[in-house]
Amino acid sequence: MSLIIPSVFGNMGLLDPFRSSSNDVVSSFANTQVDWKETPESHVFKADLPGLKKEEVKVEVEDGQVLQISGERSIEKEDKNDTWHRVERGRGKFLRRFRLPENAKLDEVKASLENGVLTVTVPKLPEKKPEVKSVEITG
């Protein structure tokens, strides 16, 4: 007598940790998360982009005060003799857009990529203080 246990994976069969399929592609890179903090002097955006070169990342300021950060991590080149067992590192395109406040100095935006962290600094315009005019009192 033999016991037949249905697969909990449906038609997929058993999961083999040494076998990869196109369904195993991790797209976490496409969901790049960005931190945005405001200091008294500027707005600072930080994004983790491990393994990317500065040539693979674009930082743009569009009309309408929109900061756009985009890039792409490509699939590693394959050699005909290579056998892939697992593909887990995120890859793909990403695009993040942020509407900047009116006090942003758009002509002074700076960006740097260091140790896989992109930092975009958007300086702020100085606060306009209301002009106070003294009025002489007569009488």
Side-chain angles (χ1 to χ4, degrees):
M1 176 180 190
S2 65
L3 180 64
I4 299 174
I5 301 174
S7 170
V8 295
F9 300 109
N11 293 332
M12 290 175 49
L14 295 175
L15 291 180
D16 182 348
F18 298 106
R19 188 170 167 213
S20 181
S21 73
S22 60
N23 294 334
D24 291 336
V25 175
V26 176
S27 62
S28 63
F29 187 73
N31 298 320
T32 298
Q33 296 179 334
V34 178
D35 294 341
W36 176 1
K37 75 174 177 179
E38 182 177 354
T39 70
E41 299 81 30
S42 62
H43 296 273
V44 181
F45 298 82
K46 289 192 176 211
D48 290 336
L49 303 174
L52 282 184
K53 300 175 195 140
K54 66 181 183 177
E55 297 82 20
E56 298 171 314
V57 179
K58 256 203 275 190
V59 177
E60 301 170 307
V61 178
E62 294 181 351
D63 293 335
Q65 309 231 147
V66 175
L67 174 68
Q68 180 170 294
I69 302 170
S70 61
E72 180 175 8
R73 175 179 290 143
S74 303
I75 297 173
E76 196 170 317
K77 294 178 185 173
E78 290 189 34
D79 187 316
K80 290 182 181 180
N81 298 322
D82 291 345
T83 301
W84 288 88
H85 294 283
R86 172 93 31 223
V87 178
E88 292 185 339
R89 295 185 304 149
R91 62 182 182 261
K93 294 180 181 181
F94 70 94
L95 170 68
R96 296 300 308 272
R97 296 171 55 120
F98 303 91
R99 178 161 305 282
L100 296 170
E102 293 197 19
N103 67 348
K105 283 187 180 181
L106 302 179
D107 57 337
E108 295 183 23
V109 175
K110 292 185 173 41
S112 66
L113 184 62
E114 203 170 312
N115 295 327
V117 178
L118 174 70
T119 302
V120 179
T121 304
V122 182
K124 291 167 45 177
L125 294 167
E127 277 188 41
K128 290 185 179 180
K129 296 182 181 174
E131 187 176 314
V132 177
K133 181 181 174 185
S134 291
V135 177
E136 188 177 323
I137 300 173
T138 60

